[in-house]
Amino acid sequence: MSVPTLPETAPFSPAQRAWLNGFFAGLVSLQGSAGGDRIAEANQPTQEEETFPWHDPAMAIAERLELAEGKPIERKMMAAMAQLDCGACGYVCQTYSEAIARGEEKNLTLCTPGGKETSAKLKEFVQLGIKVVLPAGGAKPQSAPSGKHDRKNPFAARLVGQNRLNKPESDKDTRHVMLDLKGSTLSYKPGDALGVWAENCPDLVQELLELLHASGAEEVLTPDEQLTSLREALLRDYTITQPTEDLFKLLGQPEAENLAVVDLLRRHGDQPIDPAPFVRAVSPLQPRLYSISSSLRAHPNQVHLTVGVVRYKSGAGTLCNGTASTYFADRLRPGQKVRVFVHSSAKFALPPSGDTPMIMVGPGTGIAPFRSFLSERKAAGDKGKNWLFFGDQKKDRDFLYEEEIESMRAAGMLHNLSTAFSRDQEKKVYVQHRMIENGKEIFEWLEQGAHFYVCGDAKRMATDVDNALKQIVAEQGGMSAEEAAAYVAKLAKENRYQRDVY
Ligand SMILES: Cc1cc2nc3c(=O)[nH]c(=O)nc-3n(C[C@H](O)[C@H](O)[C@H](O)COP(=O)(O)OP(=O)(O)OC[C@H]3O[C@@H](n4cnc5c(N)ncnc54)[C@H](O)[C@@H]3O)c2cc1C
Ligand SMILES: NC(=O)c1ccc[n+]([C@@H]2O[C@H](COP(=O)([O-])OP(=O)(O)OC[C@H]3O[C@@H](n4cnc5c(N)ncnc54)[C@H](OP(=O)(O)O)[C@@H]3O)[C@@H](O)[C@H]2O)c1
């Protein structure tokens, strides 16, 4: 895949153009990790030629859509999305738009960060162009039956165990989750993600049933139009946390940010709501993606995840729990099974040679793929130098996998370890500050052919790290801002700068 660049005619100064070109280059690895089947093959450029210049969360929707002008409908739909590849929809931006275009995904309101602007645009595109890619008659394409475990045919993996990685006094709750893959056709490589079909919280289901004045035995349809009970549907098939525009409409309430489904039902009071229109108005439950934090070489038949538990209060003061993260933390017990599939990443992967130096920047849950990378290199006996940048709130309570990391350092396989504990001192210290402090050595490693990886928060951290990398290249390489941006763009083009951010 080539690195997208702005046309010379684009209304930017040379410095802006160089910066943006560098930024696009940094995003290339995201597109590579999007995966997914290709649709309307005949209309598509080849994998090598295709670029996604709109795949930039910092760009306004109008600008993104302009860049997708003249592209096939699924690419225009992709441009309408928030470009975060956050997984909130159960896909990444590219695969969500392709699923809609194939007619497999009917829900156009799943891009939470894109909000109403995105869903309105998607509706427009679907009305305009869905026939372009649907088979004659608009029939829903069926996936070929196979014994292969995938998104549609997930494997029921047994929970081996899970433990909290933060100390009890921490403000954070990050879980190490171990699943057994024995008996599955699943295989993965370091850098891949695991798709997880979680179940909703039964207590929340019970509360919703009471608010709906339903027993749970009422018959309703699943998103795949199979008959099931209302209780099962609320448990396994539908999103019962974040409300949709349709639910506000159904309940005759004005739309408001940051309310939970349960808040709307409580406000609705005693007026009856039929189960069938209720399930039609909420969105189908989607799988969540997690970067795999183990290596099959080190743990045959297992897959490990590093899950940040999501808990927050809604605008109405209701305590809300992230569906999948609290499924692991609170509900799934050892021996019980969860449906999973592997979401392989084409571009986020170890260097082809075990001798290549690696610089890995992974604060918080961003550590996940690097635990996998390091375990794999250790198990393979690779000799390449490894440098990890890790950060979190406090050293004494939030140093995830501290023992493993320290033992790899002691054994000499983790050559450099740079930590940034943001809340151990008055002034925040982040991974990018440690990078700047170590700029000379980072540049030397890059000049020796090192691969540079970033994983974790997309919104702030990844941009700050990208800027720090360019600053280092400019300062240490004696380059102008434009030359440094071009140097970093070249790294990305050569697959030596890869990001897995969400
Ligand atoms: C490729 C990829 C890799 C990923 N890897 C990891 C990983 O290794 N580890 C990891 O922990 N996560 C990872 N994620 C994120 C993960 O997929 C889930 O999005 C995350 O765990 C939350 O899912 P959930 O079901 O627990 O929460 P959900 O039920 O999806 O709830 C999250 C939603 O709650 C709302 N919300 C959250 N906080 C607040 C708040 N403070 N105020 C108001 N609303 C709020 C937002 O709408 C948010 O989208 C990855 C995502 C992708 C795309
Ligand atoms: N899209 C999703 O569905 C989803 C779900 C889960 C997580 N996430 C994202 O994934 C991230 C990882 O979560 P996490 O809880 O493991 O860790 P995190 O919130 O990213 O925190 C890890 C460390 O990074 C620091 N940090 C904050 N801003 C930073 C910046 N601009 N640059 C560098 N470091 C910065 C934090 O410091 P301080 O906190 O002290 O500032 C903390 O020390 C979250 O930030 C969240 O945005 C997204």
Side-chain angles (χ1 to χ4, degrees), residues 172 364-365 392 422-423 428 430 432 457 460-461 464:
K172 301 193 75 173
T365 52
D392 217 320
S422 52
R423 303 192 190 186
K428 294 261 170 130
Y430 291 152
Q432 62 271 23
D457 173 43
R460 299 153 304 157
M461 183 276 294
D464 292 349

Side-chain angles (χ1 to χ4, degrees), residues 33 84-88 91-92 112-113 174 193-194 198 200 239 241-242 258 285-293 305-315 320-327 343 365-366 368-369 455 500-502:
S33 71
L84 277 171
D85 282 334
C86 65
Y91 305 86
V92 288
T112 319
T174 315
L194 195 76
N200 285 308
T239 298
T241 46
Q242 282 94 35
N258 202 13
L285 188 61
Q286 298 297 334
R288 306 295 194 263
L289 297 179
Y290 291 95
S291 309
I292 290 173
S293 58
L305 309 177
T306 309
V307 178
V309 183
V310 174
R311 299 188 206 274
Y312 62 96
K313 276 199 176 152
S314 78
C320 298
N321 294 319
T323 305
S325 55
T326 63
Y327 181 58
H343 179 90
T365 52
C455 180
D500 178 21
V501 295
Y502 42 88

Side-chain angles (χ1 to χ4, degrees), residues 118-417:
T118 297
S119 55
K121 264 290 157 207
L122 292 179
K123 272 181 206 159
E124 222 175 88
F125 286 136
V126 164
Q127 280 156 8
L128 278 177
I130 194 79
K131 289 182 192 74
V132 176
V133 288
L134 274 178
K140 189 173 169 179
Q142 298 295 318
S143 62
S146 80
K148 215 172 122 248
H149 291 118
D150 57 18
R151 183 186 159 100
K152 291 215 161 142
N153 177 32
F155 174 68
R158 197 171 49 83
L159 178 73
V160 177
Q162 59 99 353
N163 57 282
R164 188 171 173 201
L165 293 166
N166 307 85
K167 300 273 167 25
E169 19 352 317
S170 174
D171 290 339
K172 301 193 75 173
D173 185 357
T174 315
R175 302 293 173 113
H176 177 62
V177 173
M178 292 165 288
L179 299 169
D180 189 351
L181 294 181
K182 233 179 276 129
S184 80
T185 60
L186 295 177
S187 176
Y188 64 85
K189 56 182 181 357
D192 288 347
L194 195 76
V196 173
W197 289 97
E199 289 181 10
N200 285 308
C201 173
D203 295 345
L204 179 61
V205 169
Q206 185 56 35
E207 184 172 2
L208 294 188
L209 289 173
E210 284 163 21
L211 287 163
L212 290 166
H213 304 286
S215 70
E218 298 78 0
E219 281 192 333
V220 289
L221 290 178
T222 66
D224 290 339
E225 310 199 339
Q226 306 293 315
L227 218 49
T228 187
S229 72
L230 179 60
R231 186 182 297 276
E232 277 295 306
L234 296 184
L235 202 60
R236 290 167 68 98
D237 298 312
Y238 289 99
T239 298
I240 58 170
T241 46
Q242 282 94 35
T244 59
E245 208 181 309
D246 287 350
L247 189 64
F248 281 104
K249 274 197 202 131
L250 179 76
L251 302 179
Q253 293 180 22
E255 274 187 55
E257 295 289 319
N258 202 13
L259 286 181
V261 169
V262 70
D263 296 328
L264 270 62
L265 289 182
R266 283 184 194 144
R267 286 180 183 187
H268 193 70
D270 266 347
Q271 300 164 58
I273 308 160
D274 281 344
F278 177 79
V279 297
R280 275 201 302 274
V282 290
S283 48
L285 188 61
Q286 298 297 334
R288 306 295 194 263
L289 297 179
Y290 291 95
S291 309
I292 290 173
S293 58
S294 52
S295 140
L296 275 175
R297 255 185 218 265
H299 294 96
N301 289 318
Q302 284 198 1
V303 62
H304 299 178
L305 309 177
T306 309
V307 178
V309 183
V310 174
R311 299 188 206 274
Y312 62 96
K313 276 199 176 152
S314 78
T318 305
L319 183 63
C320 298
N321 294 319
T323 305
S325 55
T326 63
Y327 181 58
F328 284 123
D330 301 343
R331 304 193 288 284
L332 194 70
R333 301 269 174 258
Q336 287 185 325
K337 290 178 174 175
V338 53
R339 294 163 296 158
V340 302
F341 58 94
V342 170
H343 179 90
S344 59
S345 151
K347 291 276 174 163
F348 195 81
L350 280 164
S353 162
D355 293 333
T356 305
M358 292 197 297
I359 303 172
M360 297 160 278
V361 182
T365 52
I367 186 73
F370 304 136
R371 179 179 184 262
S372 171
F373 280 17
L374 289 167
S375 310
E376 175 85 4
R377 277 201 154 181
K378 187 176 169 203
D382 287 341
K383 295 284 175 286
K385 288 193 292 185
N386 302 305
W387 188 346
L388 177 68
F389 286 82
F390 175 73
D392 217 320
Q393 293 183 357
K394 287 175 175 279
K395 180 176 190 306
D396 63 353
R397 51 193 81 166
D398 302 310
F399 194 164
L400 311 182
Y401 302 111
E402 180 177 8
E403 269 180 34
E404 281 182 29
I405 290 172
E406 287 296 359
S407 89
M408 281 193 271
R409 181 155 71 158
M413 78 141 308
L414 183 58
H415 302 75
N416 285 2
L417 172 65

